[in-house]
Amino acid sequence: MTLRVAMIGYGFMGAAHSVGWRQAPRVFDLPDTVEMAVVVGRNSDAVARAAEQWGWAESATDWREVIARDDIDLVDIVTPGDSHAEIAIAALDAGKHVLCEKPLANSVEEAEAMAAAAERAAGNGVRAMVGFTYRRVPAVSLLQDLIARGTIGEVRQVRAAYRQDWLVDPSVPLGWRLQKEHAGSGALGDIGAHIVDMTQFVTGRRVTRVSGTVETIVARRPLLRERTGFAGSSTGELGEVTVDDVAIFTGRLDGGALVSFEATRFATGRKNALTIEVSGSDGALAFDLERLNELRYYDRNAPGELQGFTTILVTEPEHPYVSAWWPPGHMLGYEHGFSHQVVDFVTAIAHGTELDPTFDDGLAVQRVLAAVEASSANDSAWVAVEAAVPAHP
């Protein structure tokens, strides 16, 4: 069978997803053939250039027409969050499989509608997945495997942070990621969604309540002549930033463990520092995206002379996804997670196997984000996260 893919959007995530669609069939033995059929964007010249550069067979400017086509089987959504719900629901209702970038939506209500559409479509064999790609980093997959095996015992505390610094300069222009009507939220949704999902994924537990604060540090930024993106000349005028720059919050997992979360785009000197450390009764595990081929492990039961964190180089063929790539010690990079995402999605479609993260998983994250915003608006009071679907097994 051939899966003919349409990608809606062509920005930074479009480039990353294109690498995944292009590389996965060449490296992995996929059960179905993948065809990069069409990429869609509003600017006909720009999207045509993207199609040629990234290997899509054609380009188009109307996503509704593309979804209606009989020769499209799967829709990959990499647009800003304000269009996720409309595109995903239309695609699912049209019988297309859907991969949607995170966060799933800009609101809980939109995410609920998307999850309901995915449930309806599932009855007809149509699959939907949200793109929390960091689950597919081999070290993160291994971290989850080890916790599930009981390697560190009972999970007692988690520390998760995602720190960047690309907004420290107040002259950075007012792109769509800084406008609530397009992005939904700022650091909270853009990168905070990743650490919420990663915490729930690796521990197998849901965040049940939160207490937190979100803050906008630079309230006004230069306007661009082009409304979207970060390219283009400044108009000389300033526009209002309507999303948060920093989100710091505490969460409680359904197993009782306490979690500290930090999502910031003002951590001077930190470029893409996603870190998570899980402390258990018998040990601990720690991961840093800026050292993504490594996982650090502490065994509390080791003899005294062997106590201390050990670095596991996650490049052995026994490690998740790695056997398809290079010999041990030959590193993987950021882009490989997108290939692994394609492998898992195509395999689930072909064989009807378990799929994650589902739209229900994306909805669960959206409810946590909404609870953080509600807490911040109420002097950081504890807010219960609305009951979602069961935790990842």
Side-chain angles (χ1 to χ4, degrees):
M1 177 179 173
T2 297
L3 281 174
R4 292 168 292 271
V5 181
M7 185 174 72
I8 317 297
Y10 61 97
F12 165 55
M13 273 296 105
H17 280 233
S18 296
V19 169
W21 290 114
R22 188 171 64 246
Q23 288 292 92
R26 291 163 173 80
V27 178
F28 293 84
D29 184 17
L30 298 184
D32 287 334
T33 300
V34 171
E35 180 183 323
M36 296 169 65
V38 57
V39 58
V40 184
R42 290 177 299 182
N43 185 311
S44 59
D45 292 337
V47 75
R49 289 193 297 269
E52 181 178 3
Q53 180 178 0
W54 298 338
W56 294 89
E58 61 175 294
S59 62
T61 57
D62 190 328
W63 63 263
R64 293 175 180 84
E65 290 182 359
V66 169
I67 286 175
R69 285 167 45 170
D70 292 335
D71 65 337
I72 297 300
D73 305 297
L74 188 153
V75 175
D76 184 1
I77 303 169
V78 295
T79 58
D82 60 333
S83 59
H84 283 187
E86 183 181 12
I87 298 172
I89 293 170
L92 289 167
D93 287 347
K96 317 297 184 184
H97 305 292
V98 172
L99 170 61
C100 183
E101 253 304 317
K102 63 82 228 162
L104 185 62
N106 279 4
S107 69
V108 170
E109 292 74 20
E110 288 178 344
E112 287 175 336
M114 294 171 74
E119 184 175 1
R120 290 195 305 271
N124 296 317
V126 176
R127 313 302 293 274
M129 186 169 78
V130 59
F132 284 112
T133 318
Y134 292 135
R135 289 188 180 204
R136 268 78 189 189
V137 173
V140 175
S141 295
L142 178 61
L143 193 164
Q144 190 267 344
D145 289 345
L146 293 174
I147 291 176
R149 289 183 219 165
T151 303
I152 64 169
E154 178 189 355
V155 172
R156 291 177 170 171
Q157 186 179 358
V158 183
R159 290 164 293 281
Y162 204 153
R163 294 168 291 171
Q164 299 175 339
D165 72 351
W166 59 274
L167 287 181
V168 170
D169 184 351
S171 69
V172 171
L174 188 70
W176 69 265
R177 293 182 187 273
L178 304 180
Q179 298 171 309
K180 189 174 182 63
E181 65 268 29
H182 301 300
S185 64
L188 176 63
D190 184 23
I191 54 180
H194 274 303
I195 53 177
V196 171
D197 179 72
M198 186 175 291
T199 296
Q200 297 190 141
F201 170 63
V202 301
T203 64
R205 301 289 185 175
R206 292 293 192 207
V207 178
T208 59
R209 54 195 181 108
V210 294
S211 166
T213 300
V214 300
E215 184 168 330
T216 304
I217 294 175
V218 175
R220 296 174 64 79
R221 290 185 178 274
L223 292 173
L224 290 176
R225 298 187 189 281
E226 298 179 6
R227 181 180 64 82
T228 59
F230 290 104
S233 58
S234 171
T235 64
E237 300 177 350
L238 296 177
E240 183 182 0
V241 175
T242 52
V243 299
D244 57 280
D245 292 324
V246 178
I248 297 175
F249 53 106
T250 303
R252 181 76 70 178
L253 298 182
D254 58 17
L258 199 62
V259 189
S260 62
F261 294 100
E262 178 186 7
T264 175
R265 302 192 285 211
F266 270 79
T268 306
R270 301 293 184 181
K271 303 306 175 184
N272 201 37
L274 187 164
T275 59
I276 187 167
E277 183 170 325
V278 184
S279 300
S281 55
D282 293 326
L285 290 159
F287 169 76
D288 182 347
L289 183 63
E290 292 184 343
R291 304 179 69 90
L292 61 73
N293 290 276
E294 298 178 0
L295 181 64
R296 301 188 70 209
Y297 168 53
Y298 176 78
D299 181 1
R300 195 177 70 83
N301 300 313
E305 65 270 20
L306 298 178
Q307 291 284 333
F309 274 90
T310 299
T311 298
I312 302 169
L313 188 62
V314 189
T315 62
E316 296 292 332
E318 294 83 3
H319 291 141
Y321 306 105
V322 176
S323 61
W325 295 101
W326 320 120
H330 292 68
M331 306 301 184
L332 302 188
Y334 171 78
E335 74 279 7
H336 289 82
F338 294 92
S339 294
H340 303 157
Q341 178 171 260
V342 168
V343 171
D344 289 347
F345 198 23
V346 171
T347 301
I349 291 170
H351 298 319
T353 52
E354 288 297 319
L355 174 70
D356 72 83
T358 65
F359 276 20
D360 281 336
D361 292 318
L363 170 58
V365 172
Q366 202 73 46
R367 286 173 170 157
V368 174
L369 303 181
V372 174
E373 290 187 316
S375 173
S376 182
N378 192 26
D379 294 327
S380 302
W382 281 95
V383 172
V385 176
E386 185 178 352
V389 296
H392 182 85

